[in-house]
Amino acid sequence: MSHKKYLLTLLIMLLLLTGCNSDIFVDSLILPDKIEATVYGDGGQFNQPISKTGLKSMSIDHDISLSDNFTYYDNEGHPIPANSPKSEIAQICYQSQREYFTLSIVGEMLYFTSFYNNLEMESHWTVRLEYESGTKLLQIAIQPGRPLEFLMEQFDSDLIPVGNEKTLERTIRFTNEGDVPAYMDLKPYELTRPPEVLVEPSEEWAEGLTISIPLPVYYNDNWMLYDNNYTILLGYRCSYEAIQSSKNVRVTLPPKSKGTITVRVFYSEVKAIGTIWFVNVTDSERQIATNYNMSAFHPTRHEITVEND
């Protein structure tokens, strides 16, 4: 009889323990209204236990301009339209030339995996879990991984002069109190504005990337590409050194005179088109390319005049 009482007592204790463990397990799946997480850009992952009870849908907040970068999958891994019933979406994939991550639910676990982020800055996304009882938000910060590496460039056209000449002017006051002429050495191309170049990529993802490229110069009455490469940022106007910048011009100042030296530098514009290649070292050394338009503003000639008061 005492043995039966012992078994009964043990059975009751096991049932109580099981109930307690079940309560603890269920409580762990109750999500707070907002969760914040940070993952590394190249291969980082964040896992979060969730409850699928009452879960109506999951989504990622994004601008409508990024919609083409999203692909949706069902439970069997088949792509489905973005407007499919939300209950059928088991995985969301975002992939662009600069960023690639997935969001999926397997069983009672949510997985956010970043494959690469070469934006060279943190990327921020909001995951939205819609429950019957309300909305839960998951704020994900993706740290930058390895950046895209510049591979090579090529010009797909000759340098094409535009012909819209502009003039920049600089004046210098002088006084020569001596009885003989005086001389002043000037570098006209350093007294005004340096050349400028703008290389605009045809695709927005390439803006701000650094490349090394030969730039147009005007020398001996001809446009040509300078032998040395310059480092520039795509999509930004950059200054560079004129090939004539070291040229000295000696100006004669008459004796017992004062007046004004006027330096005029004439600039012309030249254009070209080409192609640039980059390597995504994180994504199996995948090469990606974009076209570009180049516009350079460079000095072509100068004039110097001396006027006495």
Side-chain angles (χ1 to χ4, degrees):
M1 189 70 178
S2 61
H3 180 66
K4 291 182 178 180
K5 288 183 178 179
Y6 172 76
L7 289 177
L8 181 59
T9 302
L10 181 60
L11 180 60
I12 293 172
M13 290 179 64
L14 288 173
L15 289 173
L16 289 173
L17 287 172
T18 302
C20 291
N21 287 338
S22 176
D23 289 343
I24 293 171
F25 179 69
V26 171
D27 287 346
S28 68
L29 296 182
I30 298 177
L31 297 176
D33 290 340
K34 182 177 178 182
I35 299 175
E36 296 182 352
T38 300
V39 299
Y40 178 55
D42 295 344
Q45 187 178 78
F46 173 75
N47 306 332
Q48 174 65 48
I50 65 168
S51 173
K52 294 179 72 174
T53 303
L55 179 60
K56 297 190 296 182
S57 67
M58 69 172 180
S59 61
I60 299 175
D61 293 352
H62 63 276
D63 188 90
I64 192 171
S65 63
L66 301 177
S67 296
D68 290 343
N69 296 331
F70 282 89
T71 305
Y72 300 83
Y73 297 90
D74 61 18
N75 285 312
E76 296 180 356
H78 300 141
I80 57 177
N83 60 356
S84 299
K86 293 185 177 182
S87 58
E88 296 181 8
I89 298 175
Q91 185 184 70
I92 302 174
C93 171
Y94 176 85
Q95 186 168 18
S96 69
Q97 300 287 22
R98 306 294 303 273
E99 192 172 13
Y100 176 25
F101 63 81
T102 59
L103 171 71
S104 58
I105 294 178
V106 180
E108 300 287 325
M109 187 72 73
L110 179 145
Y111 298 91
F112 187 99
T113 305
S114 173
F115 294 92
Y116 60 77
N117 172 19
N118 52 52
L119 292 170
E120 302 182 48
M121 62 181 179
E122 264 193 0
S123 176
H124 296 268
W125 297 89
T126 298
V127 175
R128 192 176 295 271
L129 301 176
E130 299 286 353
Y131 283 90
E132 292 176 354
S133 59
T135 302
K136 309 294 185 181
L137 298 179
L138 176 59
Q139 305 282 1
I140 299 286
I142 306 176
Q143 295 177 330
R146 296 182 63 180
L148 288 178
E149 293 185 1
F150 170 68
L151 180 62
M152 63 180 181
E153 56 74 29
Q154 75 175 28
F155 281 82
D156 298 329
S157 73
D158 295 329
L159 299 177
I160 304 170
V162 176
N164 54 340
E165 190 174 67
K166 297 180 181 179
T167 306
L168 296 181
E169 187 175 290
R170 171 81 179 272
T171 58
I172 303 170
R173 291 289 298 169
F174 73 88
T175 299
N176 179 14
E177 297 179 346
D179 296 326
V180 295
Y183 302 95
M184 179 181 294
D185 289 331
L186 300 176
K187 293 183 178 181
Y189 298 108
E190 289 186 353
L191 291 174
T192 52
R193 203 165 100 190
E196 290 184 346
V197 66
L198 175 63
V199 180
E200 292 186 288
S202 59
E203 298 178 70
E204 187 177 355
W205 61 262
E207 288 189 3
L209 290 175
T210 301
I211 66 169
S212 179
I213 189 171
L215 296 180
V217 293
Y218 192 82
Y219 186 68
N220 287 338
D221 298 327
N222 287 299
W223 286 103
M224 58 184 287
L225 290 173
Y226 195 46
D227 292 337
N228 295 338
N229 283 7
Y230 292 85
T231 299
I232 65 168
L233 292 177
L234 291 176
Y236 290 84
R237 193 170 295 278
C238 305
S239 299
Y240 63 105
E241 185 179 1
I243 196 171
Q244 317 97 315
S245 61
S246 60
K247 181 177 181 179
N248 270 322
V249 177
R250 175 156 289 190
V251 178
T252 302
L253 308 178
K256 300 293 185 180
S257 65
K258 66 163 116 177
T260 302
I261 300 171
T262 302
V263 180
R264 296 183 183 88
V265 177
F266 300 86
Y267 292 77
S268 288
E269 186 178 7
V270 66
K271 293 180 178 285
I273 60 174
T275 308
I276 313 168
W277 284 267
F278 297 89
V279 175
N280 188 332
V281 293
T282 308
D283 188 20
S284 304
E285 299 290 327
R286 181 170 60 91
Q287 295 184 14
I288 53 179
T290 182
N291 298 321
Y292 68 82
N293 291 289
M294 173 185 287
S295 175
F297 185 63
H298 194 281
T300 56
R301 60 192 179 93
H302 74 275
E303 290 179 355
I304 298 178
T305 57
V306 179
E307 295 182 0
N308 296 327
D309 291 346

